[in-house]
Amino acid sequence: MSAWRRFSLKVRRQETPFHAFVYKVAKGLRGISMPMLPRFHSFLYYEWVARTSSWHNFWRVLYYEPMFKSQCRTVGPGFTLWYADNGCCRILGNLAIRLGANVTMYDNVSLVGVRATDEPEFITGDNVYLGPQTRFMVAKRISIGNYTFIGSRVMMMDNASHSVNPVDRFAPGAGLPPEESIKPIRIGDFCSIPTDNYVYPGTVIGDGVATKIGTHLRGVIPPFVLVSGHPCRIERELPIPEELKEVVGEERWQGWHEERRAYLAE
C-alpha cells in the first residue's frame, strides 16, 4: 500500500488528533459553495442557454439535418431534428424512410431496418412528433398518421426480433425473425402515445386514440378511445371534436362514430 493510501485511511479513521483535524478541514472544504448573486447568475444562465442553443442549432441546420435527410427516401418541408446530445440519428439496416411535412424528431431516435424483407419501410404523415429515445425496429412496415404524438422511450416492433428455436439463433446476430412473426404496425391520425408505451407486431391503432404512460398496445384499437394497461384495455370513449369535420369531412367524421360503435358492440 502506498504512503498516500495509508495516510488517507488514517484520515478517514481519524486515528490521531492530527488526522481528525485534517478530516474536518477536508469535509469543510467539500462543503464550500459560491454565494448566489441573483441578477448576475441569472444573466449567466440565460447567456449559457443562448450560447449553447445557438451552437447546437448551427450544427443541426448545416450538418446533422442534411446528413439525416440524405438517408431518407422522402422528407417533407419543415423537418426538424432536435439536439439531444447525439448529433444525428443513426439508421441501422436497409430502411426506407418516408417522412411527411413538419415532422419533428430527436437525434437519439433509433431506427432499425431488419433484413427479413427486401425493403422495410418507416412512414409518417404530416405534423408528427417523435420524442427522444423512441425506438423503431422494422421488418416490413411501421406507418404513423398525421398529427400523431409519440412520446419518449416508446418502443415499436413489427416482428418478434428472433426465433424461439435455439438452433435458428446459431446464425450471426442470433438470426432473423420468423416470417410468420412479421406483422406491420399502423397508427392512425390524431393519436397520442406517451412515454414508455410498447407497440407489438400487427397492432392497428385507430384515429384519435390516446394512451396512458406504460401501456402495452396490441391488436385492433377503435378510434377515439382512451387505452391503458398491460395487456391494454379500453378505459372509456373519447369525444370526437366537431371541429374535425372541417379537417376530414362529414363522411369520415361519421365513420369514426360507426366504427367505434361496431367495435364496442362486439
Side-chain angles (χ1 to χ4, degrees):
M1 184 182 296
S2 68
W4 173 252
R5 179 64 176 165
R6 286 195 298 271
F7 176 74
S8 298
L9 286 173
K10 289 179 180 181
V11 169
R12 283 198 291 272
R13 294 169 182 167
Q14 304 180 56
E15 291 185 358
T16 68
F18 170 72
H19 293 115
F21 171 76
V22 173
Y23 179 82
K24 290 178 181 178
V25 170
K27 285 211 66 170
L29 290 174
R30 287 183 64 182
I32 290 177
S33 63
M34 291 291 293
M36 189 273 293
L37 306 175
R39 295 196 177 193
F40 175 68
H41 286 101
S42 179
F43 166 77
L44 290 182
Y45 172 79
Y46 287 110
E47 181 277 330
W48 169 75
V49 168
R51 174 168 43 83
T52 55
S53 297
S54 299
W55 181 249
H56 295 153
N57 281 325
F58 171 81
W59 287 106
R60 174 180 65 83
V61 172
L62 295 182
Y63 187 61
Y64 294 122
E65 276 185 9
M67 278 201 308
F68 178 78
K69 288 179 181 179
S70 73
Q71 301 304 302
C72 300
R73 299 300 171 86
T74 57
V75 180
F79 172 74
T80 303
L81 183 68
W82 284 118
Y83 179 79
D85 206 29
N86 200 50
C88 189
C89 176
R90 188 181 298 273
I91 304 163
L92 301 178
N94 180 33
L95 182 61
I97 300 172
R98 297 179 173 88
L99 305 179
N102 302 314
V103 171
T104 298
M105 62 184 290
Y106 283 78
D107 61 16
N108 57 3
V109 169
S110 175
L111 293 163
V112 179
V114 180
R115 293 180 291 109
T117 59
D118 291 337
E119 191 176 84
E121 295 180 296
F122 178 77
I123 304 168
T124 78
D126 300 336
N127 302 289
V128 169
Y129 174 92
L130 305 178
Q133 298 180 344
T134 53
R135 301 181 66 190
F136 303 93
M137 185 172 288
V138 190
K140 181 67 175 178
R141 182 181 304 107
I142 293 178
S143 61
I144 301 171
N146 301 321
Y147 292 96
T148 286
F149 167 90
I150 308 295
S152 61
R153 300 192 303 276
V154 171
M155 176 72 174
M156 296 190 194
M157 297 177 62
D158 71 349
N159 63 91
S161 183
H162 304 292
S163 172
V164 296
N165 186 334
V167 176
D168 294 340
R169 296 198 299 271
F170 289 172
L176 297 173
E179 185 176 348
E180 63 273 14
S181 79
I182 301 173
K183 300 173 183 178
I185 291 171
R186 179 167 60 84
I187 299 173
D189 299 338
F190 315 113
C191 293
S192 175
I193 300 177
T195 300
D196 290 332
N197 275 221
Y198 285 76
V199 184
Y200 290 84
T203 301
V204 178
I205 299 175
D207 297 331
V209 169
T211 71
K212 289 187 174 180
I213 291 173
T215 301
H216 288 237
L217 296 155
R218 63 174 73 229
V220 177
I221 300 172
F224 290 91
V225 292
L226 177 65
V227 182
S228 68
H230 177 28
C232 66
R233 62 184 180 84
I234 296 174
E235 285 199 3
R236 61 182 173 88
E237 298 178 26
L238 295 174
I240 303 177
E242 290 273 349
E243 294 85 352
L244 286 179
K245 284 184 184 179
E246 301 177 5
V247 179
V248 302
E250 176 77 25
E251 183 178 353
R252 187 177 176 191
W253 189 84
Q254 291 291 349
W256 288 331
H257 289 274
E258 295 168 7
E259 183 182 347
R260 183 173 67 183
R261 190 180 305 117
Y263 180 91
L264 297 176
E266 293 178 357

